[in-house]
Amino acid sequence: MTIAPETDFDRALGFTIPNRQARGRLVRLGPVLDIILAAHAYPPAIESLLAEALTLTALIGSTLKDAGGQLTMQTQTQAGVVSLLVCDYRGGELRGYVQYDAEMLASQPEKPSLFALFGAGYLTITFDQAATKERYQGIVPLDGETLAQAAESYFVQSEQIPTLVRVGMARGADGRHHAGGLFVQHLPEGELGRDRLHTRLDHPEWEHVAALAGTISAAELADPALALDDIVWRLFNEEEEVRLLAGLPLTRGCRCSADYIAQVIAKFPVEEQQAMAGDDGMITVDCAFCAKKFPLPVGALPD
């Protein structure tokens, strides 16, 4: 099914190139991105950073075979503008949040470098498999110029899989945000799920796929007038066979709820609960992700 470009938002599209032993994923974010960014009054530099992080999270998370699995991407920073960046993906739902020092950011240029934002920081990517209860985690330095480069390094260094990652962000004249991403991997032993041993970065099949994929520009990825299906065609139309997989819708999802927060607060002794309460006797808890406030009366908390 062909998707009209003007409606091709908030979707992940997978594809495989069987003869080249490669798989890929495209993502385009629109309204979902606006909803997440609108939860906090982020300045432009932080908006751009979070948009890139959310796009990467959608790209990588949407490759999970376990429908209940979760992908979490988080930064560890040292003396940078950003003290915390965390995004996660589960079942097509995205959420993300950035904590930063506004005064330090004000002293930076309009487009701060990755080092200025994070200092000598690290990127942590965690896969939680719901079905098997297994957890896989990899950590790589935040080197290079973008988060996308750090994510690319994660797969090359931690999983030893040749990977190409590209991300583009834009903001239209109407103030709406658009972001797109491309994620391509080489699986030299065959189709998905096959053994990946003996992967080589200089494999001729991978070099061919990477050369084609690398021609995509950031502007094209973020362009709302360019459908994801059309991007696949532009990049790989000369290949013998390209298989498009079923598209996956993406939504903004936050798992906060009054019941869950009440259960957490109830674990504290009554004296500590009372200390948390304001003059009105209510404990107000803010969700960092969606910025919702949950006022809870101390006396109503479960035992």
Coordinates of all heavy atoms in Angstrom, one line a residue, residues 13 32 34 53 75 85 99 116 152 162 179 182 188 214 234 236 290 302:
L13 N 8.9 1.9 8.9 CA 8.8 1.0 7.8 C 10.1 0.2 7.7 O 11.2 0.7 7.5 CB 8.6 1.8 6.5 CG 8.5 1.0 5.2 CD1 7.3 0.1 5.2 CD2 8.6 1.9 4.0
V32 N 3.5 13.1 16.8 CA 4.0 12.5 18.0 C 5.2 13.3 18.6 O 5.3 13.6 19.8 CB 4.4 11.1 17.8 CG1 5.3 10.5 18.9 CG2 3.2 10.2 17.6
D34 N 5.7 16.5 18.1 CA 5.2 17.8 18.6 C 4.6 17.6 20.0 O 4.8 18.4 20.9 CB 4.1 18.3 17.7 CG 4.7 19.0 16.5 OD1 5.7 19.6 16.5 OD2 4.0 18.9 15.4
A53 N 17.2 12.1 19.4 CA 17.2 10.9 20.3 C 15.9 10.1 20.2 O 15.9 8.9 20.2 CB 17.3 11.4 21.8
T75 N 21.7 8.8 28.3 CA 23.1 9.4 28.3 C 23.6 9.5 29.8 O 22.8 9.7 30.7 CB 23.1 10.7 27.7 OG1 22.3 11.6 28.4 CG2 22.7 10.7 26.2
L85 N 19.4 12.7 29.6 CA 18.6 12.5 28.5 C 18.2 11.0 28.5 O 19.0 10.1 28.5 CB 19.3 12.8 27.2 CG 18.5 12.7 25.9 CD1 19.1 13.7 24.8 CD2 18.5 11.3 25.3
Q99 N 16.9 16.8 30.8 CA 17.2 17.7 31.9 C 18.5 18.4 31.6 O 19.5 17.8 31.3 CB 17.3 16.9 33.2 CG 17.4 17.8 34.5 CD 17.4 16.9 35.7 OE1 17.9 15.8 35.8 NE2 16.8 17.4 36.8
A116 N 29.9 19.9 24.0 CA 29.4 21.0 24.9 C 28.2 20.5 25.6 O 28.0 20.9 26.8 CB 29.1 22.2 24.0
E152 N 25.5 4.5 15.9 CA 26.2 3.7 14.9 C 27.4 2.9 15.5 O 27.6 1.7 15.3 CB 26.6 4.6 13.8 CG 27.0 3.9 12.5 CD 27.2 4.9 11.4 OE1 26.3 5.2 10.7 OE2 28.4 5.2 11.2
P162 N 28.0 -4.4 11.1 CA 28.1 -3.2 10.3 C 26.8 -2.5 10.2 O 25.8 -3.1 9.8 CB 28.6 -3.7 9.0 CG 29.2 -5.0 9.3 CD 28.4 -5.6 10.4
A179 N 10.9 14.9 11.8 CA 12.2 14.2 11.9 C 12.1 12.8 11.2 O 11.0 12.2 11.2 CB 12.5 14.0 13.4
L182 N 17.1 6.8 9.1 CA 17.4 5.6 8.4 C 18.4 4.7 9.1 O 19.4 5.2 9.7 CB 18.0 5.9 7.0 CG 18.5 4.7 6.2 CD1 17.4 3.8 5.7 CD2 19.3 5.3 4.9
P188 N 25.5 -10.9 7.2 CA 26.2 -11.6 6.1 C 25.8 -13.1 6.1 O 26.1 -13.8 5.1 CB 27.7 -11.5 6.4 CG 27.7 -11.2 7.9 CD 26.5 -10.4 8.2
G214 N 24.1 5.8 2.1 CA 24.8 7.0 2.6 C 24.5 8.2 1.7 O 24.9 9.3 2.1
R234 N 14.2 5.4 -4.0 CA 15.2 6.2 -4.4 C 16.6 5.6 -4.2 O 17.5 5.7 -5.0 CB 15.2 7.6 -3.7 CG 14.1 8.5 -4.2 CD 14.3 9.9 -3.6 NE 13.3 10.9 -4.0 CZ 13.4 12.2 -3.8 NH1 14.4 12.7 -3.1 NH2 12.5 13.0 -4.2
F236 N 17.4 2.3 -3.4 CA 17.7 0.9 -3.8 C 16.9 0.4 -5.0 O 16.7 -0.8 -5.2 CB 17.4 -0.1 -2.6 CG 18.1 0.3 -1.4 CD1 17.4 0.8 -0.3 CD2 19.5 0.3 -1.2 CE1 18.0 1.2 0.9 CE2 20.1 0.6 -0.1 CZ 19.4 1.1 1.0
C290 N 5.7 13.4 30.6 CA 4.6 14.1 30.0 C 4.2 15.3 30.7 O 3.3 16.0 30.3 CB 3.4 13.1 30.0 SG 2.8 12.6 31.6
P302 N -2.8 4.1 49.7 CA -3.0 2.7 50.2 C -1.9 2.3 51.2 O -0.8 2.9 51.2 CB -2.9 1.9 48.9 CG -2.1 2.7 48.0 CD -2.5 4.1 48.3

